[in-house]
Amino acid sequence: DSGVTQTPKHLITATGQRVTLRCSPRSGDLSVYWYQQSLDQGLQFLIQYYNGEERAKGNILERFSAQQFPDLHSELNLSSLELGDSALYFCASSALIGTNTDTQYFGPGTRLTVL
Amino acid sequence: EDKVVQSPLSLVVHEGDTVTLNCSYEVTNFRSLLWYKQEKKAPTFLFMLTSSGIEKKSGRLSSILDKKELFSILNITATQTGDSAVYLCAVYSGGSNYKLTFGKGTLLTVNP
Protein backbone atom coordinates (compact mmCIF):
# COMPACT_ATOMS: atom_id res chain seq x y z
CA ASP A 1 0.00 0.00 0.00
CA SER A 2 1.58 3.24 -1.22
CA GLY A 3 -0.54 5.52 0.98
CA VAL A 4 -2.08 7.21 -2.08
CA THR A 5 -5.83 6.69 -2.38
CA GLN A 6 -8.01 7.11 -5.44
CA THR A 7 -11.77 7.03 -5.83
CA PRO A 8 -13.74 5.61 -7.45
CA LYS A 9 -12.06 2.32 -8.30
CA HIS A 10 -14.16 1.80 -11.42
CA LEU A 11 -16.34 4.17 -13.39
CA ILE A 12 -18.55 3.38 -16.34
CA THR A 13 -20.20 6.22 -18.19
CA ALA A 14 -21.48 7.24 -21.60
CA THR A 15 -19.94 9.39 -24.31
CA GLY A 16 -20.50 13.10 -23.83
CA GLN A 17 -20.65 12.85 -20.07
CA ARG A 18 -18.41 14.44 -17.44
CA VAL A 19 -16.70 12.65 -14.55
CA THR A 20 -14.50 13.60 -11.61
CA LEU A 21 -11.70 11.43 -10.31
CA ARG A 22 -10.35 12.03 -6.85
CA CYS A 23 -6.91 11.49 -5.35
CA SER A 24 -5.60 11.83 -1.80
CA PRO A 25 -1.81 11.95 -1.61
CA ARG A 26 0.36 10.32 1.02
CA SER A 27 0.37 12.20 4.29
CA GLY A 28 2.80 15.10 4.02
CA ASP A 29 3.29 14.90 0.25
CA LEU A 30 2.83 18.23 -1.50
CA SER A 31 3.02 17.14 -5.13
CA VAL A 32 0.29 15.29 -6.99
CA TYR A 33 0.60 13.88 -10.51
CA TRP A 34 -2.02 12.51 -12.86
CA TYR A 35 -1.35 9.85 -15.48
CA GLN A 36 -3.41 8.08 -18.11
CA GLN A 37 -2.62 4.51 -19.10
CA SER A 38 -4.29 3.00 -22.11
CA LEU A 39 -3.42 -0.17 -24.00
CA ASP A 40 -2.16 1.58 -27.10
CA GLN A 41 -0.49 4.65 -25.54
CA GLY A 42 1.18 3.24 -22.47
CA LEU A 43 1.60 5.50 -19.44
CA GLN A 44 1.16 9.18 -20.26
CA PHE A 45 1.88 12.06 -17.89
CA LEU A 46 -1.05 14.49 -17.77
CA ILE A 47 -0.39 17.17 -15.17
CA GLN A 48 1.34 17.92 -11.87
CA TYR A 49 0.33 20.13 -8.97
CA TYR A 50 2.51 21.29 -6.14
CA ASN A 51 0.95 22.75 -3.02
CA GLY A 52 -2.12 23.91 -4.92
CA GLU A 53 -0.35 25.35 -7.95
CA GLU A 54 0.02 23.82 -11.39
CA ARG A 55 3.67 22.80 -11.76
CA ALA A 56 4.00 20.88 -15.00
CA LYS A 57 1.77 19.99 -17.88
CA GLY A 58 2.06 16.94 -20.10
CA ASN A 59 -0.28 15.50 -22.70
CA ILE A 60 -3.49 16.73 -21.14
CA LEU A 61 -6.44 17.42 -23.44
CA GLU A 62 -8.36 20.69 -23.23
CA ARG A 63 -11.46 18.68 -22.23
CA PHE A 64 -9.58 17.63 -19.10
CA SER A 65 -8.79 19.81 -16.12
CA ALA A 66 -7.42 19.31 -12.66
CA GLN A 67 -6.95 21.13 -9.43
CA GLN A 68 -5.36 20.63 -6.04
CA PHE A 69 -7.25 21.81 -2.99
CA PRO A 70 -5.92 23.39 0.23
CA ASP A 71 -6.05 20.00 1.97
CA LEU A 72 -3.81 18.76 -0.88
CA HIS A 73 -6.25 16.30 -2.37
CA SER A 74 -6.65 16.61 -6.10
CA GLU A 75 -9.42 16.11 -8.61
CA LEU A 76 -9.19 15.35 -12.32
CA ASN A 77 -12.22 16.43 -14.31
CA LEU A 78 -12.87 14.80 -17.67
CA SER A 79 -15.64 16.28 -19.81
CA SER A 80 -17.28 15.58 -23.18
CA LEU A 81 -16.03 12.03 -22.80
CA GLU A 82 -15.13 10.00 -25.87
CA LEU A 83 -14.64 6.27 -26.31
CA GLY A 84 -10.89 6.85 -26.53
CA ASP A 85 -10.82 8.28 -23.01
CA SER A 86 -11.37 4.79 -21.63
CA ALA A 87 -8.23 4.07 -19.66
CA LEU A 88 -6.71 3.56 -16.25
CA TYR A 89 -6.05 6.89 -14.56
CA PHE A 90 -3.32 6.92 -11.95
CA CYS A 91 -2.55 9.53 -9.38
CA ALA A 92 0.88 9.69 -7.77
CA SER A 93 2.31 11.83 -5.02
CA SER A 94 5.74 12.91 -3.93
CA ALA A 95 7.09 14.86 -1.03
CA LEU A 96 8.71 17.67 -2.90
CA ILE A 97 8.22 19.62 -6.05
CA GLY A 98 9.28 16.77 -8.32
CA THR A 99 12.98 17.26 -8.57
CA ASN A 100 15.57 14.77 -9.67
CA THR A 101 15.79 13.33 -6.17
CA ASP A 102 12.08 12.84 -5.59
CA THR A 103 10.27 9.50 -5.72
CA GLN A 104 6.67 9.20 -6.86
CA TYR A 105 4.28 6.78 -5.18
CA PHE A 106 1.32 5.63 -7.23
CA GLY A 107 -2.26 5.12 -6.18
CA PRO A 108 -4.21 2.02 -7.27
CA GLY A 109 -5.83 3.83 -10.18
CA THR A 110 -9.36 4.51 -11.40
CA ARG A 111 -10.53 2.45 -14.34
CA LEU A 112 -12.75 4.56 -16.59
CA THR A 113 -14.88 2.91 -19.22
CA VAL A 114 -16.74 5.12 -21.70
CA LEU A 115 -19.55 3.35 -23.56
CA GLU B 1 9.84 15.98 -28.44
CA ASP B 2 11.22 13.94 -25.54
CA LYS B 3 11.46 10.24 -26.26
CA VAL B 4 12.11 7.15 -24.12
CA VAL B 5 12.52 3.80 -25.85
CA GLN B 6 12.68 0.47 -24.09
CA SER B 7 13.85 -2.85 -25.47
CA PRO B 8 13.01 -5.58 -25.81
CA LEU B 9 9.24 -5.11 -25.80
CA SER B 10 8.77 -8.59 -24.42
CA LEU B 11 10.99 -11.27 -22.96
CA VAL B 12 10.32 -14.84 -21.82
CA VAL B 13 12.90 -16.63 -19.67
CA HIS B 14 13.18 -19.57 -17.30
CA GLU B 15 13.56 -19.24 -13.57
CA GLY B 16 17.19 -18.73 -12.63
CA ASP B 17 18.11 -16.89 -15.83
CA THR B 18 19.65 -13.42 -15.79
CA VAL B 19 17.99 -10.70 -17.85
CA THR B 20 19.02 -7.25 -19.01
CA LEU B 21 16.43 -4.64 -19.90
CA ASN B 22 17.38 -1.56 -21.87
CA CYS B 23 16.17 2.02 -21.84
CA SER B 24 17.45 4.73 -24.16
CA TYR B 25 16.34 8.33 -24.14
CA GLU B 26 16.43 11.59 -26.05
CA VAL B 27 15.26 14.46 -23.88
CA THR B 28 15.97 18.13 -23.39
CA ASN B 29 17.62 18.94 -20.09
CA PHE B 30 17.88 15.48 -18.54
CA ARG B 31 17.38 15.35 -14.78
CA SER B 32 17.06 11.71 -13.77
CA LEU B 33 15.94 8.29 -14.90
CA LEU B 34 13.57 6.05 -13.00
CA TRP B 35 12.70 2.37 -13.20
CA TYR B 36 9.31 1.03 -12.13
CA LYS B 37 7.81 -2.45 -11.92
CA GLN B 38 4.16 -2.82 -12.84
CA GLU B 39 2.22 -5.99 -12.22
CA LYS B 40 -1.56 -6.01 -12.57
CA LYS B 41 -1.84 -2.81 -10.64
CA ALA B 42 -0.07 0.52 -10.16
CA PRO B 43 3.65 0.94 -10.85
CA THR B 44 6.00 0.55 -7.93
CA PHE B 45 9.28 2.43 -7.73
CA LEU B 46 12.54 0.50 -8.16
CA PHE B 47 15.41 2.93 -8.74
CA MET B 48 16.21 6.55 -9.49
CA LEU B 49 19.48 7.26 -11.30
CA THR B 50 21.03 10.66 -11.71
CA SER B 51 24.76 10.05 -12.09
CA SER B 52 26.60 8.09 -14.75
CA GLY B 53 28.45 4.94 -13.85
CA ILE B 54 27.12 4.49 -10.34
CA GLU B 55 25.30 1.19 -9.95
CA LYS B 56 22.19 1.07 -7.81
CA LYS B 57 21.42 -2.32 -6.32
CA SER B 58 18.49 -3.84 -4.50
CA GLY B 59 18.67 -7.57 -3.92
CA ARG B 60 18.79 -9.31 -7.29
CA LEU B 61 18.04 -6.10 -9.19
CA SER B 62 20.63 -3.56 -10.25
CA SER B 63 20.70 -0.62 -12.62
CA ILE B 64 23.23 1.72 -14.12
CA LEU B 65 23.04 4.91 -16.17
CA ASP B 66 25.25 6.08 -19.01
CA LYS B 67 24.62 9.80 -19.57
CA LYS B 68 27.10 10.00 -22.42
CA GLU B 69 25.44 7.28 -24.47
CA LEU B 70 21.95 8.19 -23.14
CA PHE B 71 20.84 4.83 -21.86
CA SER B 72 20.26 2.76 -18.78
CA ILE B 73 20.08 -0.97 -18.12
CA LEU B 74 18.18 -2.90 -15.50
CA ASN B 75 19.63 -6.29 -14.59
CA ILE B 76 17.75 -9.03 -12.81
CA THR B 77 19.77 -12.06 -11.73
CA ALA B 78 18.45 -15.49 -10.69
CA THR B 79 14.98 -14.57 -11.94
CA GLN B 80 11.90 -15.85 -10.14
CA THR B 81 8.31 -16.18 -11.31
CA GLY B 82 7.45 -13.23 -9.06
CA ASP B 83 9.64 -11.04 -11.26
CA SER B 84 7.09 -11.42 -14.07
CA ALA B 85 5.82 -7.90 -14.73
CA VAL B 86 6.09 -4.91 -17.03
CA TYR B 87 9.21 -2.89 -16.30
CA LEU B 88 8.83 0.81 -17.06
CA CYS B 89 11.57 3.34 -17.61
CA ALA B 90 10.84 7.05 -17.20
CA VAL B 91 12.93 10.17 -17.56
CA TYR B 92 12.57 13.46 -15.73
CA SER B 93 13.50 16.38 -17.92
CA GLY B 94 13.00 20.10 -18.20
CA GLY B 95 14.11 23.35 -16.69
CA SER B 96 11.56 25.23 -14.63
CA ASN B 97 8.74 23.09 -16.02
CA TYR B 98 9.52 19.44 -15.23
CA LYS B 99 8.16 16.64 -17.32
CA LEU B 100 8.18 12.88 -16.87
CA THR B 101 8.22 10.77 -20.02
CA PHE B 102 7.65 7.03 -19.89
CA GLY B 103 8.75 4.31 -22.25
CA LYS B 104 6.24 1.70 -23.35
CA GLY B 105 7.74 -0.90 -21.04
CA THR B 106 9.26 -4.36 -21.29
CA LEU B 107 7.00 -7.31 -20.49
CA LEU B 108 9.05 -9.92 -18.64
CA THR B 109 7.62 -13.40 -18.23
CA VAL B 110 9.53 -15.83 -16.04
CA ASN B 111 8.48 -19.45 -16.49
CA PRO B 112 9.09 -22.09 -13.79
Side-chain angles (χ1 to χ4, degrees):
Chain A
D1 183 2
S2 66
V4 179
T5 60
Q6 289 187 248
T7 56
K9 195 171 177 181
H10 298 278
L11 193 51
I12 301 174
T13 189
T15 54
Q17 295 297 304
R18 173 189 168 92
V19 297
T20 298
L21 312 184
R22 185 188 166 105
C23 167
S24 293
R26 291 187 323 157
S27 178
D29 282 1
L30 298 178
S31 266
V32 169
Y33 309 75
W34 286 98
Y35 296 90
Q36 179 192 57
Q37 186 170 40
S38 55
L39 283 173
D40 56 339
Q41 292 288 326
L43 198 59
Q44 301 276 319
F45 167 66
L46 296 178
I47 197 163
Q48 178 203 354
Y49 279 82
Y50 172 74
N51 205 18
E53 302 280 329
E54 184 182 300
R55 179 74 177 91
K57 213 165 191 174
N59 302 323
I60 189 165
L61 299 172
E62 282 191 19
R63 300 184 285 108
F64 296 0
S65 65
Q67 58 184 133
Q68 187 180 28
F69 294 86
D71 67 352
L72 301 175
H73 91 271
S74 178
E75 291 180 359
L76 178 68
N77 299 297
L78 315 176
S79 61
S80 302
L81 285 168
E82 302 174 0
L83 295 177
D85 297 328
S86 296
L88 195 51
Y89 289 84
F90 286 111
C91 165
S93 74
S94 67
L96 303 174
I97 204 166
T99 67
N100 60 350
T101 58
D102 199 19
T103 301
Q104 294 183 24
Y105 296 89
F106 281 75
T110 292
R111 181 167 295 284
L112 172 67
T113 303
V114 182
L115 300 176
Chain B
E1 187 181 324
D2 292 349
K3 194 162 64 169
V4 176
V5 178
Q6 292 185 246
S7 64
L9 289 177
S10 180
L11 189 56
V12 180
V13 300
H14 290 293
E15 262 191 321
D17 287 351
T18 293
V19 298
T20 298
L21 310 183
N22 302 292
C23 174
S24 64
Y25 59 90
E26 287 178 36
V27 302
T28 303
N29 203 358
F30 172 88
R31 296 287 180 174
S32 60
L33 186 143
L34 297 90
W35 284 98
Y36 286 88
K37 177 182 180 183
Q38 185 173 25
E39 296 166 269
K40 293 188 185 222
K41 45 191 179 184
T44 54
F45 172 79
L46 293 175
F47 298 110
M48 175 179 277
L49 302 152
T50 54
S51 303
S52 263
I54 297 174
E55 186 184 51
K56 291 251 179 135
K57 205 167 164 63
S58 175
R60 296 176 293 102
L61 277 67
S62 63
S63 183
I64 198 159
L65 173 68
D66 186 328
K67 285 165 78 171
K68 186 180 172 191
E69 299 298 328
L70 308 183
F71 77 91
S72 172
I73 59 171
L74 175 68
N75 278 320
I76 309 175
T77 59
T79 51
Q80 301 171 357
T81 55
D83 295 326
S84 296
V86 174
Y87 290 83
L88 294 165
C89 170
V91 173
Y92 261 126
S93 61
S96 57
N97 193 29
Y98 289 104
K99 195 163 74 162
L100 189 62
T101 305
F102 280 82
K104 294 208 182 292
T106 293
L107 173 61
L108 173 65
T109 304
V110 181
N111 290 327

PDB file of all heavy atoms in Angstrom, chain A residues 26-33 50 93-98 102-105:
ATOM      1  N   ARG A  26      -0.193  10.795  -0.241  1.00  0.00           N
ATOM      2  CA  ARG A  26       0.360  10.320   1.022  1.00  0.00           C
ATOM      3  C   ARG A  26       0.436  11.486   1.990  1.00  0.00           C
ATOM      4  O   ARG A  26       0.643  12.635   1.580  1.00  0.00           O
ATOM      5  CB  ARG A  26       1.774   9.779   0.814  1.00  0.00           C
ATOM      6  CG  ARG A  26       1.885   8.519   0.027  1.00  0.00           C
ATOM      7  CD  ARG A  26       3.318   7.982   0.034  1.00  0.00           C
ATOM      8  NE  ARG A  26       4.321   9.025  -0.006  1.00  0.00           N
ATOM      9  CZ  ARG A  26       5.562   8.893   0.406  1.00  0.00           C
ATOM     10  NH1 ARG A  26       5.956   7.754   0.946  1.00  0.00           N
ATOM     11  NH2 ARG A  26       6.423   9.878   0.303  1.00  0.00           N
ATOM     12  N   SER A  27       0.307  11.156   3.267  1.00  0.00           N
ATOM     13  CA  SER A  27       0.367  12.200   4.290  1.00  0.00           C
ATOM     14  C   SER A  27       1.689  12.961   4.181  1.00  0.00           C
ATOM     15  O   SER A  27       2.769  12.359   4.169  1.00  0.00           O
ATOM     16  CB  SER A  27       0.253  11.537   5.668  1.00  0.00           C
ATOM     17  OG  SER A  27       0.361  12.492   6.679  1.00  0.00           O
ATOM     18  N   GLY A  28       1.596  14.271   4.079  1.00  0.00           N
ATOM     19  CA  GLY A  28       2.795  15.102   4.023  1.00  0.00           C
ATOM     20  C   GLY A  28       3.303  15.384   2.625  1.00  0.00           C
ATOM     21  O   GLY A  28       4.138  16.274   2.435  1.00  0.00           O
ATOM     22  N   ASP A  29       2.826  14.645   1.619  1.00  0.00           N
ATOM     23  CA  ASP A  29       3.287  14.898   0.251  1.00  0.00           C
ATOM     24  C   ASP A  29       2.595  16.134  -0.315  1.00  0.00           C
ATOM     25  O   ASP A  29       1.385  16.294  -0.182  1.00  0.00           O
ATOM     26  CB  ASP A  29       3.001  13.694  -0.654  1.00  0.00           C
ATOM     27  CG  ASP A  29       4.009  12.577  -0.449  1.00  0.00           C
ATOM     28  OD1 ASP A  29       4.910  12.732   0.399  1.00  0.00           O
ATOM     29  OD2 ASP A  29       3.880  11.548  -1.143  1.00  0.00           O
ATOM     30  N   LEU A  30       3.365  16.986  -0.969  1.00  0.00           N
ATOM     31  CA  LEU A  30       2.828  18.232  -1.498  1.00  0.00           C
ATOM     32  C   LEU A  30       2.546  18.175  -2.991  1.00  0.00           C
ATOM     33  O   LEU A  30       1.788  18.985  -3.514  1.00  0.00           O
ATOM     34  CB  LEU A  30       3.818  19.372  -1.225  1.00  0.00           C
ATOM     35  CG  LEU A  30       4.102  19.671   0.249  1.00  0.00           C
ATOM     36  CD1 LEU A  30       5.143  20.781   0.364  1.00  0.00           C
ATOM     37  CD2 LEU A  30       2.835  20.064   0.985  1.00  0.00           C
ATOM     38  N   SER A  31       3.197  17.240  -3.675  1.00  0.00           N
ATOM     39  CA  SER A  31       3.022  17.140  -5.127  1.00  0.00           C
ATOM     40  C   SER A  31       2.072  16.017  -5.493  1.00  0.00           C
ATOM     41  O   SER A  31       2.135  14.933  -4.922  1.00  0.00           O
ATOM     42  CB  SER A  31       4.368  16.843  -5.796  1.00  0.00           C
ATOM     43  OG  SER A  31       4.997  18.020  -6.203  1.00  0.00           O
ATOM     44  N   VAL A  32       1.210  16.303  -6.459  1.00  0.00           N
ATOM     45  CA  VAL A  32       0.291  15.290  -6.991  1.00  0.00           C
ATOM     46  C   VAL A  32       0.440  15.273  -8.511  1.00  0.00           C
ATOM     47  O   VAL A  32       0.530  16.327  -9.142  1.00  0.00           O
ATOM     48  CB  VAL A  32      -1.168  15.609  -6.612  1.00  0.00           C
ATOM     49  CG1 VAL A  32      -2.123  14.726  -7.384  1.00  0.00           C
ATOM     50  CG2 VAL A  32      -1.380  15.424  -5.116  1.00  0.00           C
ATOM     51  N   TYR A  33       0.472  14.077  -9.064  1.00  0.00           N
ATOM     52  CA  TYR A  33       0.605  13.880 -10.507  1.00  0.00           C
ATOM     53  C   TYR A  33      -0.569  13.056 -11.003  1.00  0.00           C
ATOM     54  O   TYR A  33      -1.034  12.153 -10.306  1.00  0.00           O
ATOM     55  CB  TYR A  33       1.886  13.102 -10.838  1.00  0.00           C
ATOM     56  CG  TYR A  33       3.152  13.641 -10.231  1.00  0.00           C
ATOM     57  CD1 TYR A  33       3.432  13.466  -8.884  1.00  0.00           C
ATOM     58  CD2 TYR A  33       4.091  14.307 -11.024  1.00  0.00           C
ATOM     59  CE1 TYR A  33       4.600  13.948  -8.322  1.00  0.00           C
ATOM     60  CE2 TYR A  33       5.267  14.785 -10.469  1.00  0.00           C
ATOM     61  CZ  TYR A  33       5.514  14.595  -9.125  1.00  0.00           C
ATOM     62  OH  TYR A  33       6.676  15.075  -8.572  1.00  0.00           O
ATOM     63  N   TYR A  50       1.680  21.209  -7.341  1.00  0.00           N
ATOM     64  CA  TYR A  50       2.511  21.286  -6.143  1.00  0.00           C
ATOM     65  C   TYR A  50       1.902  22.325  -5.213  1.00  0.00           C
ATOM     66  O   TYR A  50       1.803  23.493  -5.578  1.00  0.00           O
ATOM     67  CB  TYR A  50       3.952  21.666  -6.499  1.00  0.00           C
ATOM     68  CG  TYR A  50       4.817  21.938  -5.289  1.00  0.00           C
ATOM     69  CD1 TYR A  50       5.263  20.892  -4.495  1.00  0.00           C
ATOM     70  CD2 TYR A  50       5.163  23.239  -4.928  1.00  0.00           C
ATOM     71  CE1 TYR A  50       6.037  21.129  -3.372  1.00  0.00           C
ATOM     72  CE2 TYR A  50       5.936  23.488  -3.810  1.00  0.00           C
ATOM     73  CZ  TYR A  50       6.371  22.420  -3.037  1.00  0.00           C
ATOM     74  OH  TYR A  50       7.139  22.658  -1.922  1.00  0.00           O
ATOM     75  N   SER A  93       1.906  10.676  -5.831  1.00  0.00           N
ATOM     76  CA  SER A  93       2.307  11.826  -5.020  1.00  0.00           C
ATOM     77  C   SER A  93       3.781  11.726  -4.671  1.00  0.00           C
ATOM     78  O   SER A  93       4.375  10.641  -4.698  1.00  0.00           O
ATOM     79  CB  SER A  93       1.463  11.947  -3.747  1.00  0.00           C
ATOM     80  OG  SER A  93       1.806  10.967  -2.772  1.00  0.00           O
ATOM     81  N   SER A  94       4.366  12.865  -4.388  1.00  0.00           N
ATOM     82  CA  SER A  94       5.742  12.911  -3.930  1.00  0.00           C
ATOM     83  C   SER A  94       5.870  14.025  -2.914  1.00  0.00           C
ATOM     84  O   SER A  94       5.035  14.927  -2.840  1.00  0.00           O
ATOM     85  CB  SER A  94       6.717  13.129  -5.093  1.00  0.00           C
ATOM     86  OG  SER A  94       6.552  14.405  -5.652  1.00  0.00           O
ATOM     87  N   ALA A  95       6.952  13.936  -2.153  1.00  0.00           N
ATOM     88  CA  ALA A  95       7.086  14.864  -1.031  1.00  0.00           C
ATOM     89  C   ALA A  95       7.379  16.278  -1.491  1.00  0.00           C
ATOM     90  O   ALA A  95       6.871  17.241  -0.942  1.00  0.00           O
ATOM     91  CB  ALA A  95       8.189  14.372  -0.098  1.00  0.00           C
ATOM     92  N   LEU A  96       8.205  16.365  -2.520  1.00  0.00           N
ATOM     93  CA  LEU A  96       8.712  17.671  -2.895  1.00  0.00           C
ATOM     94  C   LEU A  96       8.099  18.129  -4.203  1.00  0.00           C
ATOM     95  O   LEU A  96       7.051  17.666  -4.616  1.00  0.00           O
ATOM     96  CB  LEU A  96      10.247  17.604  -2.988  1.00  0.00           C
ATOM     97  CG  LEU A  96      10.928  17.142  -1.700  1.00  0.00           C
ATOM     98  CD1 LEU A  96      12.412  16.968  -1.934  1.00  0.00           C
ATOM     99  CD2 LEU A  96      10.669  18.126  -0.579  1.00  0.00           C
ATOM    100  N   ILE A  97       8.795  18.994  -4.861  1.00  0.00           N
ATOM    101  CA  ILE A  97       8.221  19.623  -6.050  1.00  0.00           C
ATOM    102  C   ILE A  97       8.381  18.748  -7.280  1.00  0.00           C
ATOM    103  O   ILE A  97       7.877  19.064  -8.337  1.00  0.00           O
ATOM    104  CB  ILE A  97       8.888  20.995  -6.259  1.00  0.00           C
ATOM    105  CG1 ILE A  97       7.986  21.910  -7.061  1.00  0.00           C
ATOM    106  CG2 ILE A  97      10.255  20.852  -6.888  1.00  0.00           C
ATOM    107  CD1 ILE A  97       8.385  23.351  -7.028  1.00  0.00           C
ATOM    108  N   GLY A  98       9.085  17.617  -7.148  1.00  0.00           N
ATOM    109  CA  GLY A  98       9.282  16.774  -8.316  1.00  0.00           C
ATOM    110  C   GLY A  98      10.637  17.021  -8.925  1.00  0.00           C
ATOM    111  O   GLY A  98      10.780  17.209 -10.117  1.00  0.00           O
ATOM    112  N   ASP A 102      13.384  13.055  -6.207  1.00  0.00           N
ATOM    113  CA  ASP A 102      12.077  12.844  -5.592  1.00  0.00           C
ATOM    114  C   ASP A 102      11.404  11.605  -6.156  1.00  0.00           C
ATOM    115  O   ASP A 102      11.339  11.440  -7.365  1.00  0.00           O
ATOM    116  CB  ASP A 102      11.227  14.093  -5.847  1.00  0.00           C
ATOM    117  CG  ASP A 102      10.066  14.181  -4.910  1.00  0.00           C
ATOM    118  OD1 ASP A 102      10.109  13.510  -3.867  1.00  0.00           O
ATOM    119  OD2 ASP A 102       9.123  14.908  -5.218  1.00  0.00           O
ATOM    120  N   THR A 103      10.913  10.738  -5.305  1.00  0.00           N
ATOM    121  CA  THR A 103      10.267   9.500  -5.722  1.00  0.00           C
ATOM    122  C   THR A 103       8.760   9.674  -5.749  1.00  0.00           C
ATOM    123  O   THR A 103       8.190  10.265  -4.826  1.00  0.00           O
ATOM    124  CB  THR A 103      10.613   8.381  -4.738  1.00  0.00           C
ATOM    125  OG1 THR A 103      12.023   8.225  -4.722  1.00  0.00           O
ATOM    126  CG2 THR A 103       9.960   7.073  -5.141  1.00  0.00           C
ATOM    127  N   GLN A 104       8.126   9.150  -6.771  1.00  0.00           N
ATOM    128  CA  GLN A 104       6.672   9.197  -6.857  1.00  0.00           C
ATOM    129  C   GLN A 104       6.080   7.878  -6.397  1.00  0.00           C
ATOM    130  O   GLN A 104       6.585   6.813  -6.730  1.00  0.00           O
ATOM    131  CB  GLN A 104       6.240   9.450  -8.294  1.00  0.00           C
ATOM    132  CG  GLN A 104       6.621  10.805  -8.815  1.00  0.00           C
ATOM    133  CD  GLN A 104       6.103  11.041 -10.210  1.00  0.00           C
ATOM    134  OE1 GLN A 104       5.130  10.447 -10.654  1.00  0.00           O
ATOM    135  NE2 GLN A 104       6.748  11.925 -10.923  1.00  0.00           N
ATOM    136  N   TYR A 105       4.998   7.959  -5.646  1.00  0.00           N
ATOM    137  CA  TYR A 105       4.276   6.777  -5.181  1.00  0.00           C
ATOM    138  C   TYR A 105       2.898   6.798  -5.818  1.00  0.00           C
ATOM    139  O   TYR A 105       2.178   7.790  -5.734  1.00  0.00           O
ATOM    140  CB  TYR A 105       4.181   6.789  -3.652  1.00  0.00           C
ATOM    141  CG  TYR A 105       5.539   6.682  -3.011  1.00  0.00           C
ATOM    142  CD1 TYR A 105       6.288   7.822  -2.727  1.00  0.00           C
ATOM    143  CD2 TYR A 105       6.098   5.445  -2.724  1.00  0.00           C
ATOM    144  CE1 TYR A 105       7.554   7.725  -2.166  1.00  0.00           C
ATOM    145  CE2 TYR A 105       7.359   5.344  -2.153  1.00  0.00           C
ATOM    146  CZ  TYR A 105       8.079   6.479  -1.880  1.00  0.00           C
ATOM    147  OH  TYR A 105       9.332   6.387  -1.332  1.00  0.00           O
TER     148      TYR A 105
END
